[in-house]
C-alpha cells in the first residue's frame, strides 16, 4: 500500500464532490449559474461539522466570546459608514472583441507586478509603463489588444426591498452584506448592555455573505454567495499586539488539531492593506494550484466603531468599570469562508492508495469532521435475519451518530463507497453474528477488521470516534 504522488488535482476533487454528493453546481438543469454551488447530503454534513468545530473552539470553550446571528439585510448606511460603498471594488478590464471581463490586478500578476489592492487609476499607470517598454498587453481569453482601460467595479450586491410600486426608488435600495462582521458592530452595544461581557471580549457569527466577484474561480474557493465565520474581538488599544498574537496562534493550531498538516499552511503578511486594516495576516493553504488565502486575521483599529458612531450618532464608546475611562474599543478579527475551508479540508483528506494494483480513494477526514461516522451493512440483503440484526444496530447507533444503512452491492463496493465519503468505521453483520452476537468493524484508514461483541459496540465506538 503506497501513496502515489502529485495526484491531488482540483479536477479530481471537483469530480468526487459531484459523484459522491458533496457539492453540485447550481441550477444545472437550466445550464448552470456561474459561481454558485449547492451542497449535497455529505457536503452539508461536512459543512455543519466544520462550523460546529469552529464554534466549539471560538465560542463554546471560551468565557470571553459570545455568539450572534444578525440579518443579511441591514440599514444601507451601514455600508456607507464601513467604507464599502465607496471603496470595496476590484479593478476590471473588458475585452472589446470577445467581451470577457478580467480582473485587472490578475492581468498584471502575469508581468510579476503585485497589483493586489491597487485601484484602477494606478493599474492604468502600470499598463502605460508596460506599453512604453513595448510589452504587449493582451486579452487572456482571445489575445486581442482591443481592451478597455481598467475601471473600478463595486463588489457589493445591490437589491430593492419594499412594495412593488416603489421598488425602484433609491430609498428602497438595500445591500446584501459583503461580510458578516457588519452585524456584529451594530449589535456590539446590545451585547454589552444585555450580557456580562467586559473588554476584552469577542462576538462570533456564522452566516451568508455576498460579493459580486468579477472572476469567481477555482470551484468553491471564490464564489458570489458564500458563508463566513467571523469573530470580532473588542479590546483596549494597548492589548492589541498581545491578543493579536494569541489569536493567530489559536487559529493556526485549530487547523492542525483538525488534521491539516503544518507543511500545508503558511503565513502571508499583507503589504497593501484593506481600507479598514492596520495589520493583516492570512493563513494560506496549499491548494492544488498553489498556496492561497484561507483565513484572514486583521487588526481593524477603531475604524468600525468610530465610523458607525459618526454615521449613526449612537454612542459606541466603552466605559471601563474600574477606572471609568472612556474609549472606543479597537478590534481584531478572525475571518474565514466556510466553503473555502471545506475545500481545504477536502483537499487535505483526499488520498489515493494503490491496493493490489487498484486505486483506493479515501477521504481521510478527522473523525470529528467525517459526514457519516458509521455505516452498517448486512452481509447479504436477501437474508432477512441478517438485515433485521443490522437494522437493530443501525437504529441504536443513529440516535447518537450520523449513520448509514447500506445493503446494496457486494461488501467490497460498499467499503469503497464509504471510503470515498470518509466514513471512519463500517460495521458488518454476518452469519457468525447471529450465533456469537458479534460484528466485524472495519477501519477506514488501515482497512483492519476486528470482531466486537454487539453489547460492547456502543462503548467501543465512543472510545474510538472522539
Ligand atoms: N471581515 C473581513 C473580511 O471579510 P476578507 O479577506 O475579504 O475579509 C475573509 O474575507 C475570508 O472570507 C477570506 O479569507 C475567505 O476565506 C473568505 N472569502 C472572501 N471572499 C470570498 C468569496 N468570494 N468566496 C468564498 N470565500 C470568500
Amino acid at each position: 500500500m503506497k501513496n502515489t504522488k502529485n495526484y491531488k488535482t482540483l479536477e479530481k476533487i471537483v469530480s468526487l464532490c459531484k459523484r459522491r454528493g458533496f457539492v453540485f453546481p447550481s441550477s444545472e438543469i437550466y445550464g448552470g449559474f456561474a459561481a454558485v454551488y449547492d451542497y449535497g447530503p455529505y457536503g452539508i454534513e461536512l459543512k455543519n461539522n466544520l462550523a460546529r468545530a469552529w464554534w466549539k473552539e471560538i465560542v463554546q470553550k471560551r468565557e470571553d466570546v459570545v455568539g450572534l446571528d444578525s440579518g443579511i439585510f441591514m440599514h444601507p448606511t451601514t455600508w456607507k459608514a464601513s467604507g464599502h460603498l465607496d471603496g470595496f471594488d476590484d479593478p476590471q478590464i473588458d475585452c472589446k472583441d470577445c467581451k470577457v471581463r478580467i480582473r485587472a490586478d490578475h492581468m498584471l500578476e502575469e508581468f510579476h507586478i503585485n497589483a493586489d489592492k491597487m485601484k484602477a487609476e494606478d493599474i492604468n499607470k502600470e499598463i502605460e509603463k508596460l506599453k512604453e517598454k513595448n510589452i504587449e498587453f493582451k486579452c487572456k481569453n482571445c489575445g486581442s489588444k482591443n481592451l478597455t482601460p481598467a475601471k473600478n467595479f463595486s463588489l457589493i450586491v445591490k437589491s430593492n426591498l419594499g412594495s412593488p410600486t416603489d421598488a425602484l426608488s433609491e430609498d428602497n435600495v438595500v445591500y446584501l452584506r459583503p461580510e458578516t462582521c457588519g452585524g456584529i458592530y451594530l449589535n456590539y452595544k446590545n451585547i454589552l448592555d444585555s450580557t456580562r461581557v467586559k473588554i476584552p471580549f469577542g462576538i462570533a457569527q456564522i452566516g451568508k455573505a455576498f460579493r459580486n466577484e468579477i472572476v469567481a474561480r477555482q470551484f468553491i474557493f471564490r464564489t458570489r454567495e458564500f458563508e463566513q465565520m467571523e469573530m470580532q474581538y473588542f479590546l483596549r488599544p494597548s492589548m492589541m499586539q498581545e491578543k493579536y498574537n494569541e489569536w493567530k496562534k489559536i487559529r493556526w493550531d485549530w487547523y492542525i488539531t483538525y488534521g491539516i498538516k503544518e507543511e500545508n499552511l503558511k503565513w502571508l503578511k499583507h503589504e497593501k492593506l484593506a481600507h479598514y486594516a492596520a495589520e493583516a495576516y492570512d493563513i494560506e493553504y496549499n491548494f492544488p494550484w498553489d498556496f492561497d488565502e484561507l483565513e484572514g486575521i486583521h487588526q481593524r483599529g477603531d475604524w468600525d466603531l468610530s465610523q458607525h458612531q459618526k454615521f449613526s450618532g449612537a454612542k459606541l464608546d466603552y466605559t471601563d468599570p474600574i477606572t471609568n475611562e472612556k474609549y472606543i474599543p479597537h478590534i481584531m478579527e478572525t475571518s474565514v469562508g466556510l466553503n473555502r475551508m471545506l475545500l481545504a479540508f477536502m483537499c487535505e483528506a483526499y488520498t489515493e492508495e494503490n491496493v493490489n494494483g487498484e486505486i483506493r480513494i479515501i477521504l481521510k477526514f478527522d473523525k470529528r469532521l467525517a459526514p457519516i461516522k458509521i455505516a452498517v451493512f448486512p452481509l447479504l440483503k436477501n437474508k432477512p435475519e441478517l438485515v433485521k440484526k443490522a437494522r437493530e444496530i443501525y437504529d441504536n447507533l443513529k440516535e447518537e451518530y450520523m449513520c448509514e444503512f447500506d445493503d446494496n452491492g457486494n461488501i467490497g463496493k460498499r467499503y469503497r463507497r464509504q471510503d470515498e465519503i470518509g466514513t471512519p468505521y463500517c460495521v458488518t453483520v454476518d452469519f457468525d453474528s447471529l450465533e456469537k452476537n458479534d460484528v466485524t468493524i472495519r477501519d477506514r484508514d488501515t482497512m483492519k477488521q476486528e470482531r466486537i461483541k454487539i453489547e460492547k459496540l456502543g462503548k467501543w465506538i465512543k472510545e474510538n470516534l472522539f
Side-chain angles (χ1 to χ4, degrees), residues 178-193:
E179 52 181 13
T180 54
C181 54
I184 295 182
Y185 308 136
L186 269 54
N187 281 288
Y188 143 84
K189 202 73 181 160
N190 285 334
I191 289 178
L192 208 53
D193 293 345

Side-chain angles (χ1 to χ4, degrees), residues 84 88 117 178-182 185 209-213 215-216 220-230 232 255 270 274 276 282-283 293-298 300 333-341:
H84 284 84
F88 192 53
K117 307 265 167 359
E179 52 181 13
T180 54
C181 54
Y185 308 136
F210 302 83
R211 294 184 189 179
N212 201 1
E213 300 282 0
V215 187
I220 52 172
F221 179 81
R222 187 181 303 287
T223 50
R224 297 198 172 113
E225 174 180 342
F226 56 100
E227 268 169 285
Q228 270 190 327
M229 307 201 287
E230 298 201 292
Q232 308 293 309
Y255 286 105
H270 279 223
Y276 53 77
D282 287 342
I283 296 179
E293 175 182 345
L294 173 58
E295 167 157 356
I297 302 172
H298 311 135
R300 301 179 68 117
E333 72 175 349
T334 72
S335 173
V336 60
L338 177 52
N339 320 71
R340 193 176 287 188
M341 181 189 272

Side-chain angles (χ1 to χ4, degrees), residues 12 28 35 51 110 133 146 165 223 365 418 454:
K12 286 186 189 172
E28 254 194 318
E110 290 188 7
K133 290 185 205 156
N146 200 7
T165 47
T223 50
F365 291 124
Q418 295 300 331
I454 293 174

